[in-house]
Amino acid sequence: MGDTDYETTDVVICGCGPTGALLSAYLGRMSIPHVVIEKEPEITTDPRGIALDEDGIRALQGAGIYDPIYSDIGACMRKFKFIGGTDKVLGKKAFLEMDYGTTEGGTGHVGFICHKQPILEKHLRTAMTSSSFCQLQTNATMIDIREEGDYVYSQYRDGQGKIHNLKSRFLVGADGKTGFTRKSFMEPLGIRMEQAHQSFYDETWVALNWEISLPTEKTHPNFPLWKLGYTPQEVYDLFFPESFRFVCNPERPAVCGRFGLPSDRLWRFEFVVLSGEDGQEMSNPENIEKVVFPYITHPGSKYGLIQDIAFPEDCIRVLRSRPFRFAARSCNRWSHGRVVLCGDAAHVFPPFGGQGIASGFRDAISLAWRLVLLCRRQPSTKPSNHEDVLSGWYIERKQQLERSLASTIGNGTFVTESNPLKICLRDWSLYFMHFIPSWRRDLRLGRRKEGMVPYKYSPGLPFDPAHKGGTFLRQVYCKPVGSSGDVFFSDDIIFGKEKKGLFQLLVYLRDVNQLTSAREAVSRIEEISKEEVHCDEATYLIGKLDIESSPITKGTSSLYRLATAEEFAGSPLCRGRPEPEYYDPHQLGKALGGNKFVLVRPDRIVYAACDDVSRLEKVVSDAVAYLQT
């Protein structure tokens, strides 16, 4: 079969779950033609993942999806409560409480949202298909992948049984842990899933999704709490409390809480399948009644009544009840030649830290710009360095993955511990830690700062470790100088959709007096930037909050100042989410350590930061060399 029989594109993405869809959205925003192959005809209605951390929210923002997050996709999860003991009471005092409703993680966002995955995927599909560079094929099954020379040749079968042929520069398998890419192409080449953490955890749990309707005096006239003056909403809040619970019951650990919008009244309950039990049987109604219903049955003594009070069963609609494995695994390699794995195809997480979808998003955003870099290089007789570029991507991602996994395992340890001595030590150590302010604050924050730990450098990685390279760029709120206009997220002004440069230059100034010299310095690197770093796209951010009172000697194009938490709270960006409690507008400047010039990669990683013109010239020259190699 000749090449003329193949449809040609730059990238083929196999799988259109959250990871594949986000990768597509980013490739589309960076003008890379690609085809997405998805075996399902429609987005599944089954709410699987329900938690997305602040990195994931930031990734959605980068794909142009922000307004729907709190109006359609989900809501802030606010507090995580860890409760102990064997009594099945959700309202008891927590021995550990983490507040994820604050804005302290360096992204400008809350710590977690609880979302409806089908709605999340709907908005991702809208973002990806709004680009003329994306071609989505649903109800299509990948049946063959082979690599020859500078291309990957693949075949898929559509819903009518017709075979289609694709020729691409790269193919990305985002088709999950049982998908075709890894199972049929990668595993015969020696790529396999392995244990990903020394604290091995591999158990079966049951995941239950309920949709709750409110009982009323009319529908349930004999419900005893009406006589005590409770309203339908108050009854719902009593039996299905707002904060997410990690139920550290040594007899049977569980996790439960609301998800989606408050008006959806959706509830997730997950519990472990014990040794000797069958997961499928434990997901049956009779066993759900034994395991879960005690948590929504309150003792009458709580209300001064004789009989126990159960939430009306006919107000519960079961959306999902099925077993699944909690495991921590990662592939020994994530790419072979021009074929790449990402998301669940490359690694799987236990869900104690809400890192499944977020980790796939991190894969996608950091892979997207590398594919852009590789695809814009025309095939030639010169050997391609795509394996080095993809290897660097894997090395970086593996570092972050291990940190996320350690955090997830740590949360899981709280939930699943069954040794009485260890439980006692855990509870007493946490009790005493609360007396030390800094430790108490760290406990309240959870593990939010771990995502900001810099990458460790090894040869070939695309950042300069001598100049703060490999650190995560903090996101702040800002406003245009000389205007009473809207508040923006800093990512949106640095990485505007209309910008052409792959790497972007941010100039962070302490005050307006540095502006003229900074502009002169940027103009000096224009010649050596060789159109890789577009100097005319540089963003200037003044690190003072009262800049409006200072004189500006030149135009204010691309010039912004920091915005306050109060300004953000009054803007449309804060609609539907908590106000930015504990937000530090100066966190970006502090993280940069006084450096003015910051070269930033599209995945929000600092390539390098420096403070004078000579170092800036060296930084830009090195970046250009990498981008043109």
Side-chain angles (χ1 to χ4, degrees):
M1 183 180 293
D3 282 2
T4 56
D5 299 314
Y6 284 83
E7 177 186 350
T8 301
T9 190
D10 279 348
V11 179
V12 170
I13 302 173
C14 187
C16 195
T19 299
L22 188 79
L23 176 60
S24 169
Y26 273 82
L27 290 178
R29 290 172 73 88
M30 292 187 277
S31 304
I32 296 298
H34 59 284
V35 177
V36 183
I37 306 299
E38 169 55 44
K39 66 179 181 179
E40 298 296 334
E42 303 288 345
I43 296 172
T44 179
T45 59
D46 180 20
R48 291 154 291 161
I50 63 169
L52 186 66
D53 74 3
E54 59 192 303
D55 282 349
I57 302 170
R58 190 179 188 181
L60 288 178
Q61 173 203 335
I65 305 168
Y66 181 74
D67 289 344
I69 290 177
Y70 299 102
S71 62
D72 197 26
I73 295 173
C76 176
M77 294 184 79
R78 297 186 183 269
K79 293 182 179 179
F80 288 2
K81 294 188 176 184
F82 292 77
I83 57 176
T86 57
D87 49 334
K88 299 180 179 181
V89 179
L90 297 179
K92 67 171 63 175
K93 182 177 175 60
F95 67 81
L96 175 64
E97 189 172 290
M98 299 177 181
D99 188 354
Y100 286 101
T102 59
T103 309
E104 299 178 271
T107 67
H109 295 294
V110 298
F112 274 94
I113 61 167
C114 51
H115 63 84
K116 296 173 290 185
Q117 186 170 335
I119 305 302
L120 171 66
E121 292 192 39
K122 179 192 75 172
H123 286 284
L124 282 168
R125 295 266 181 109
T126 299
M128 58 185 278
T129 55
S130 65
S131 164
S132 61
F133 296 97
C134 171
Q135 179 184 342
L136 172 62
Q137 299 291 342
T138 58
N139 199 21
T141 304
M142 189 67 72
I143 58 174
D144 187 53
I145 300 171
R146 62 185 175 87
E147 183 181 356
E148 289 184 13
D150 293 326
Y151 296 96
V152 180
Y153 297 86
S154 55
Q155 289 185 324
Y156 71 91
R157 180 185 294 111
D158 66 21
Q160 288 71 46
K162 182 180 178 181
I163 304 298
H164 300 261
N165 305 301
L166 296 171
K167 174 187 175 184
S168 59
R169 301 283 299 280
F170 295 91
L171 184 144
V172 179
D175 45 351
K177 56 188 176 183
T178 60
F180 181 89
T181 309
R182 181 165 62 82
K183 286 293 186 181
S184 297
F185 181 77
M186 293 296 214
E187 288 189 357
L189 297 172
I191 294 178
R192 61 192 181 276
M193 278 281 191
E194 298 177 333
Q195 179 180 330
H197 196 273
Q198 60 184 2
S199 299
F200 183 64
Y201 187 84
D202 193 344
E203 297 286 352
T204 298
W205 285 54
V206 169
L208 184 75
N209 289 339
W210 283 353
E211 182 181 53
I212 312 299
S213 58
L214 297 182
T216 66
E217 290 190 63
K218 182 177 181 180
T219 60
H220 298 79
N222 296 323
F223 189 68
L225 294 187
W226 307 140
K227 295 179 180 179
L228 300 180
Y230 286 91
T231 67
Q233 182 62 43
E234 288 171 339
V235 168
Y236 172 69
D237 291 337
L238 281 170
F239 285 86
F240 303 95
E242 188 174 53
S243 296
F244 217 79
R245 260 74 173 176
F246 291 83
V247 182
C248 307
N249 184 337
E251 296 178 355
R252 190 187 297 273
V255 181
C256 65
R258 303 178 186 182
F259 68 99
L261 298 176
S263 58
D264 296 323
R265 290 193 295 274
L266 300 173
W267 199 60
R268 165 69 62 92
F269 194 101
E270 298 171 355
F271 64 88
V272 73
V273 175
L274 303 177
S275 177
E277 294 177 340
D278 178 79
Q280 197 62 54
E281 289 183 1
M282 292 305 297
S283 64
N284 292 336
E286 56 270 22
N287 285 314
I288 294 298
E289 185 172 349
K290 293 177 183 177
V291 174
V292 183
F293 274 67
Y295 285 98
I296 57 170
T297 301
H298 292 180
S301 57
K302 178 178 179 180
Y303 306 98
L305 302 174
I306 297 175
Q307 75 277 18
D308 292 344
I309 305 169
F311 188 83
E313 188 173 348
D314 59 349
C315 290
I316 298 170
R317 185 165 76 95
V318 179
L319 302 178
R320 175 190 230 249
S321 182
R322 65 180 63 176
F324 66 103
R325 287 178 66 188
F326 276 24
R329 297 180 182 275
S330 176
C331 285
N332 56 330
R333 299 202 317 276
W334 292 7
S335 66
H336 184 281
R338 294 176 176 272
V339 180
V340 187
L341 297 174
C342 67
D344 286 351
H347 48 77
V348 292
F349 271 77
F352 298 116
Q355 292 296 305
I357 293 178
S359 290
F361 279 5
R362 294 186 190 102
D363 292 350
I365 191 174
S366 58
L367 177 61
W369 73 265
R370 289 170 164 93
L371 291 175
V372 174
L373 175 66
L374 294 171
C375 288
R376 71 182 188 178
R377 299 172 180 171
Q378 296 303 314
S380 65
T381 55
K382 181 181 178 180
S384 171
N385 71 334
H386 63 274
E387 292 190 355
D388 292 337
V389 172
L390 294 175
S391 175
W393 168 72
Y394 166 73
I395 291 170
E396 285 187 354
R397 286 295 305 121
K398 195 86 181 323
Q399 291 183 40
Q400 208 285 324
L401 189 83
E402 288 172 352
R403 290 197 293 269
S404 295
L405 189 56
S407 175
T408 298
I409 295 295
N411 282 348
T413 299
F414 280 117
V415 180
T416 60
E417 185 59 69
S418 59
N419 184 298
L421 179 58
K422 291 183 178 180
I423 291 173
C424 181
L425 291 173
R426 176 198 69 193
D427 291 352
W428 276 104
S429 63
L430 288 170
Y431 173 78
F432 285 113
M433 287 173 70
H434 278 85
F435 288 101
I436 302 174
S438 62
W439 291 4
R440 183 170 64 246
R441 183 178 185 276
D442 288 343
L443 286 172
R444 183 180 59 82
L445 280 176
R447 294 174 171 85
R448 296 180 66 178
K449 295 296 183 183
E450 292 183 0
M452 291 290 174
V453 176
Y455 284 137
K456 294 179 181 178
Y457 182 76
S458 60
L461 295 188
F463 59 82
D464 182 351
H467 295 94
K468 290 195 172 291
T471 60
F472 287 73
L473 185 73
R474 270 63 171 174
Q475 177 164 232
V476 291
Y477 313 137
C478 52
K479 292 191 71 170
V481 170
S483 168
S484 59
D486 294 334
V487 174
F488 292 89
F489 287 112
S490 56
D491 281 1
D492 293 341
I493 63 170
I494 297 169
F495 305 99
K497 189 176 181 181
E498 72 285 351
K499 293 189 175 183
K500 299 176 182 178
L502 196 56
F503 287 8
Q504 286 293 322
L505 181 61
L506 168 66
V507 183
Y508 187 90
L509 306 174
R510 289 187 295 275
D511 57 59
V512 72
N513 297 323
Q514 297 179 312
L515 180 60
T516 300
S517 61
R519 281 176 168 160
E520 291 173 354
V522 171
S523 66
R524 285 180 55 177
I525 66 167
E526 190 165 1
E527 184 175 343
I528 65 173
S529 65
K530 298 180 181 179
E531 296 188 357
E532 292 291 354
V533 178
H534 291 247
C535 296
D536 60 330
E537 295 180 347
T539 301
Y540 296 83
L541 180 60
I542 308 295
K544 280 194 173 182
L545 301 173
D546 59 349
I547 186 64
E548 304 296 349
S549 63
S550 302
I552 305 296
T553 57
K554 290 186 178 181
T556 58
S557 176
S558 300
L559 180 61
Y560 297 81
R561 66 160 175 87
L562 292 178
T564 65
E566 291 75 20
E567 287 174 316
F568 179 85
S571 77
L573 294 178
C574 198
R575 189 177 298 135
R577 56 154 280 179
E579 294 185 3
E581 188 179 4
Y582 300 117
Y583 167 71
D584 178 7
H586 301 289
Q587 60 182 314
L588 173 58
K590 293 174 183 176
L592 295 176
N595 290 294
K596 290 196 290 284
F597 305 105
V598 192
L599 197 59
V600 191
R601 298 174 358 189
D603 52 358
R604 288 48 173 167
I605 302 297
V606 173
Y607 176 84
C610 57
D611 194 44
D612 60 63
V613 180
S614 60
R615 287 194 177 94
L616 177 61
E617 290 174 341
K618 177 66 165 58
V619 162
V620 171
S621 179
D622 290 346
V624 168
Y626 173 80
L627 293 170
Q628 293 187 340
T629 299

